[in-house]
Amino acid sequence: MAERLRQTCQVCGSHVGFMISDDGFFYCGYCNSQAEDIVDTGVDEEQIINHYSATHSRARPVKVIAAEPISQVKYTPSQFLDNPYIMEEDVDDEFGPTEPTNIGSCQNNFSYDDYYSTIRARYLTGLQVMIQLQCQTLVEKFKASPLIVGLVGPVWLRFLASTRIMADEWADQVVHESEVQTQGEAEEFQPSYKYRVEPVNILGRRVVMIWYKSLRSTIPISYSLAISFLVCHVAREAITPSDILTWTLEGKLPYFSAFCEIEKHIGSHSKACPISVSRMFRPVQAVSSQKLESMAADIALKIGLELPPVNFHALASRYCRQLSLPPGEILSLACRIYEWSTPTELYLSVNELRIPTRVCVMSILIVAVRILSDINGYGVWESSLSNPTTTSQDEKNKEVESQFDCDMTDNAAEPSSSNNSESHFTKSLIPDSGLNGIELLRILETKYSELNDEYAYCRDLSSYLQYCKDVVFSGLQPSFEDLEEEKLLEEFWDLYQNNKGHVELGTQDDPLCNDKSSGHASRPTTDSNIDARIRRLKLDMEEHKFRYVPPQDLVKRKGYVHYTRKKKEVFIYAVHADYYILLRSCAKVAQVETRIMHQATLNLERRLEWLENRIIYSINLKQNLDDYCDFCRDDHKQNDDDSKE
């Protein structure tokens, strides 16, 4: 075991201490200078002299060398490898192997440049592999356009160039910043003996970890998802950030377990980069959909990419399909509203607190449905409770709707390519005459109870166990060294397989609907049943900070009802029942809170009202002749005279 002497070096001023060599002298572990007044007394004097004259390879410093930051001096491993008692140790799974090896066969001749270039290359290569895997999955599994594969390369390279990570001065600058940030707060210089073959900064911290943390802060792993979503947006795909997040959490999109595939491309670790792939590329948490959208906008801003708005028609068509609404008149009116208002919320924004783009699309659909079906608080839902009879027209609409759902239920949560959305809806069996308010609310109530916001791995125990194996504990293999443990696991699994048929895993119906066909009478309706459903609706509204407003009794003039909000301790939204049923179903499809959905609708309504007022003002505006030039004034007078004649 090497003997270590704690003492301040007179040459460099470090506190690393001195290590004894086989020649009996002590040498500074930092600058490799020999201690002048310290010698091992346990070594024979003649042996010291002979060994020193024959084998001593250390050059005693001629002059005092002042300590300089690593950003100004490029360290080489020769400063540390000269000491024969320093053995290269492979570290644990987080930083490499842990077993010591022979001195003669383990010394690494890695330079300062070798360390940072290897770490940088492995991190950027791993991120690129992750992005490629994600785009490949989007094309093959989620039917995205193959165009995104061609777009992702230029976007990734342009963003990489904007970060300046590949600059020659990047490594020195990062180390210098790490030294400047901790000035005045530096602790005693005590680098770990385990990593003494690696270069350190002036404060004794491993620059390997400094470079790695700088890379991860400049280009976080979550940027792979942002770039994948960005190219989908540029390719006009009907894919939202909430879709990317859902597929990521379910393990369908390579992210949490992508490091296993990355390891196949770049290896687990290298000597010059002792950080394992699992540590480098295994995320610790998911990113929110709003954060993902803002990151994509930020990347586009950095690379100077001018973004189009979202593909409104493709996304609105998808939402109509998920809500089982007839797309003919609804899409036609929604597209006119979109083209007329052109809301800025349909463009990606770096503001994480802004209304998401998908919510703005859904708000336009809500306004279109309210106009076509006259959802304005006239007691449509309340009247449907007392008139639950099923007419022949209801049966016809139900049959058409079920046939429409049959074509659309496959991968309903997965958006189809925007190139196929228009042709599909032109062949729809839904009539373009639209639905009245009662029929619409029945469909929405049914779809609200059918829509499942749970992840795929929550359906049953088998799916969850497979998810844990593939995503949560990816890369880990179970230990079967204990035969008793293996036998116990098999018994538990057999017990589950034999008894899972007796366990009810289905979800209960929505409390607002007596059954999935609540719009059609399955039992006699009484006043008590009506009151009970209204009470359940009020409770549901209160949970979401809404307040029930009774239907309008005396309607002097029908028109579009504009709702407002009042603030007490929190904002309270007072709305009618029919509007709330429409709102909550659309919010569930858009994967957003009902209040956010309502706020986006209020914003759109205010914008539309402002546009109408501006148009009316412009039409009624009388031009003043003093505003014209002489030529135009004479021409205008001539036109007025001709019109009078």
Side-chain angles (χ1 to χ4, degrees):
M1 190 69 177
E3 182 179 353
R4 186 173 184 178
L5 182 64
R6 292 282 184 179
Q7 187 170 342
T8 303
C9 179
Q10 301 297 327
V11 176
C12 65
S14 69
H15 302 280
V16 176
F18 291 83
M19 300 294 296
I20 186 173
S21 180
D22 54 358
D23 57 7
F25 292 99
F26 287 80
Y27 296 90
C28 177
Y30 184 70
C31 68
N32 202 31
S33 61
Q34 178 184 330
E36 299 181 355
D37 54 350
I38 307 175
V39 66
D40 187 7
T41 58
V43 181
D44 183 70
E45 182 178 357
E46 182 178 356
Q47 179 183 357
I48 295 176
I49 296 175
N50 294 336
H51 185 276
Y52 182 83
S53 59
T55 63
H56 186 58
S57 61
R58 304 181 190 273
R60 186 171 178 177
V62 178
K63 61 179 180 179
V64 174
I65 302 176
E68 299 182 24
I70 196 171
S71 57
Q72 300 177 8
V73 178
K74 291 187 176 181
Y75 291 90
T76 61
S78 60
Q79 291 178 306
F80 307 104
L81 296 181
D82 286 346
N83 195 317
Y85 286 96
I86 300 178
M87 296 186 299
E88 178 188 349
E89 292 184 359
D90 296 288
V91 292
D92 53 17
D93 290 339
E94 294 293 329
F95 301 98
T98 56
E99 296 296 330
T101 57
N102 293 332
I103 299 175
S105 62
C106 68
Q107 292 183 347
N108 296 329
N109 296 322
F110 294 131
S111 65
Y112 174 88
D113 295 341
D114 293 335
Y115 276 104
Y116 81 77
S117 60
T118 303
I119 292 173
R120 180 175 60 185
R122 286 176 62 83
Y123 187 80
L124 297 181
T125 303
L127 275 182
Q128 182 170 322
V129 171
M130 184 181 291
I131 295 172
Q132 292 172 344
L133 291 173
Q134 292 171 0
C135 292
Q136 182 180 357
T137 303
L138 288 171
V139 173
E140 296 177 354
K141 195 170 184 178
F142 300 106
K143 310 304 180 184
S145 172
L147 180 62
I148 67 174
V149 179
L151 290 174
V152 71
V155 171
W156 163 247
L157 294 178
R158 288 176 64 180
F159 173 68
L160 188 60
S162 68
T163 60
R164 302 288 299 167
I165 286 180
M166 299 303 297
D168 295 335
E169 65 276 6
W170 170 79
D172 293 337
Q173 183 178 359
V174 170
V175 176
H176 177 69
E177 290 176 355
S178 69
E179 296 167 346
V180 172
Q181 292 174 358
T182 55
Q183 283 185 357
E185 302 178 359
E187 299 178 356
E188 185 180 356
F189 178 65
Q190 294 180 353
S192 174
Y193 177 79
K194 200 174 189 179
Y195 311 115
R196 293 193 60 191
V197 295
E198 298 180 8
V200 296
N201 67 355
I202 197 64
L203 303 174
R205 295 189 174 90
R206 300 170 60 202
V207 294
V208 168
M209 297 305 298
I210 293 175
W211 289 324
Y212 163 66
K213 292 178 180 179
S214 175
L215 287 169
R216 191 154 185 170
S217 63
T218 304
I219 310 180
I221 301 177
S222 56
Y223 270 44
S224 63
L225 296 175
I227 292 177
S228 299
F229 167 69
L230 179 61
V231 294
C232 290
H233 178 83
V234 175
R236 313 293 289 154
E237 289 294 320
I239 295 178
T240 65
S242 59
D243 298 326
I244 299 292
L245 177 61
T246 300
W247 299 333
T248 298
L249 293 175
E250 291 179 346
K252 298 178 181 179
L253 195 65
Y255 185 61
F256 288 104
S257 59
F259 69 93
C260 296
E261 290 294 327
I262 296 175
E263 186 173 346
K264 297 177 182 179
H265 289 78
I266 65 176
S268 59
H269 66 279
S270 68
K271 296 295 183 181
C273 179
I275 306 175
S276 66
V277 172
S278 61
R279 179 180 176 87
M280 267 190 169
F281 301 106
R282 186 162 195 168
V284 295
Q285 60 183 4
V287 62
S288 65
S289 59
Q290 290 179 265
K291 181 66 175 179
L292 183 61
E293 186 170 315
S294 65
M295 287 192 302
D298 183 60
I299 292 174
L301 182 63
K302 289 180 178 178
I303 65 178
L305 180 61
E306 186 175 353
L307 295 178
V310 297
N311 192 336
F312 177 82
H313 188 274
L315 199 54
S317 301
R318 171 193 167 187
Y319 286 156
C320 284
R321 178 177 72 247
Q322 292 180 253
L323 290 169
S324 296
L325 297 179
E329 293 184 355
I330 295 178
L331 276 182
S332 178
L333 179 58
C335 288
R336 289 200 298 269
I337 296 174
Y338 157 67
E339 294 171 356
W340 186 38
S341 60
T342 60
T344 58
E345 289 81 5
L346 292 177
Y347 291 83
L348 300 184
S349 173
V350 295
N351 184 6
E352 188 177 348
L353 302 179
R354 204 191 64 166
I355 298 294
T357 53
R358 67 184 187 279
V359 180
C360 182
V361 173
M362 187 62 82
S363 66
I364 296 177
L365 283 179
I366 290 176
V367 172
V369 170
R370 289 190 62 190
I371 294 175
L372 293 175
S373 300
D374 198 17
I375 306 297
N376 292 293
Y378 301 136
V380 177
W381 180 75
E382 288 83 355
S383 62
S384 66
L385 299 179
S386 58
N387 298 288
T389 56
T390 303
T391 62
S392 59
Q393 181 65 28
D394 293 335
E395 293 291 345
K396 181 179 179 181
N397 290 335
K398 180 180 179 182
E399 180 181 356
V400 173
E401 178 196 345
S402 62
Q403 189 170 0
F404 178 76
D405 289 339
C406 182
D407 297 334
M408 292 300 184
T409 49
D410 295 337
N411 299 327
E414 300 174 3
S416 60
S417 176
S418 58
N419 299 329
N420 301 328
S421 59
E422 184 175 358
S423 60
H424 178 83
F425 281 100
T426 56
K427 301 177 182 179
S428 175
L429 298 175
I430 294 294
D432 290 340
S433 58
L435 297 174
N436 59 42
I438 296 178
E439 296 166 348
L440 173 70
L441 294 180
R442 286 174 179 171
I443 293 176
L444 291 177
E445 280 191 303
T446 303
K447 295 303 296 184
Y448 182 79
S449 61
E450 292 176 353
L451 289 172
N452 188 6
D453 53 0
E454 292 182 348
Y455 296 114
Y457 58 82
C458 297
R459 296 172 182 171
D460 50 49
L461 182 58
S462 300
S463 301
Y464 179 73
L465 293 177
Q466 189 65 36
Y467 172 78
C468 292
K469 179 181 178 181
D470 297 339
V471 180
V472 179
F473 303 108
S474 179
L476 299 179
Q477 297 295 332
S479 175
F480 296 118
E481 297 178 359
D482 190 349
L483 298 179
E484 293 295 332
E485 178 184 356
E486 180 181 358
K487 182 179 179 180
L488 185 62
L489 290 175
E490 293 178 354
E491 291 179 356
F492 278 129
W493 181 251
D494 293 339
L495 180 64
Y496 166 72
Q497 292 291 343
N498 296 330
N499 294 277
K500 67 178 181 180
H502 302 286
V503 181
E504 297 181 0
L505 297 177
T507 57
Q508 297 181 353
D509 294 334
D510 181 61
L512 298 179
C513 305
N514 292 331
D515 49 43
K516 290 188 176 181
S517 58
S518 60
H520 306 286
S522 58
R523 58 184 180 182
T525 303
T526 62
D527 292 338
S528 60
N529 293 336
I530 295 176
D531 294 339
R533 293 191 61 185
I534 294 177
R535 285 196 303 270
R536 286 195 292 267
L537 178 65
K538 291 180 179 180
L539 291 176
D540 185 76
M541 295 177 70
E542 291 177 359
E543 290 179 0
H544 295 88
K545 303 299 185 295
F546 283 83
R547 180 169 296 176
Y548 175 80
V549 177
Q552 303 182 50
D553 294 332
L554 300 177
V555 181
K556 297 181 180 179
R557 185 181 62 179
K558 287 190 175 183
Y560 193 94
V561 176
H562 295 269
Y563 296 101
T564 59
R565 61 180 184 176
K566 296 182 179 180
K567 185 174 182 181
K568 294 183 179 179
E569 296 180 356
V570 294
F571 282 109
I572 300 296
Y573 303 91
V575 296
H576 294 97
D578 50 2
Y579 171 73
Y580 178 76
I581 292 174
L582 170 64
L583 188 68
R584 66 169 187 169
S585 299
C586 294
K588 195 170 187 179
V589 170
Q591 299 182 9
V592 70
E593 291 185 9
T594 310
R595 290 181 299 165
I596 303 298
M597 189 75 258
H598 181 55
Q599 183 61 45
T601 306
L602 295 181
N603 294 344
L604 176 64
E605 291 172 349
R606 283 195 294 266
R607 179 173 179 81
L608 293 175
E609 185 180 9
W610 177 82
L611 289 173
E612 290 177 350
N613 294 335
R614 293 293 299 174
I615 292 174
I616 295 174
Y617 174 78
S618 299
I619 292 175
N620 298 330
L621 181 64
K622 294 183 179 180
Q623 298 291 341
N624 190 351
L625 293 179
D626 295 336
D627 297 336
Y628 294 97
C629 63
D630 295 337
F631 177 79
C632 295
R633 186 185 302 111
D634 296 338
D635 186 61
H636 185 74
K637 288 181 178 180
Q638 183 66 30
N639 292 335
D640 290 342
D641 295 339
D642 293 341
S643 62
K644 291 178 181 179
E645 294 177 358

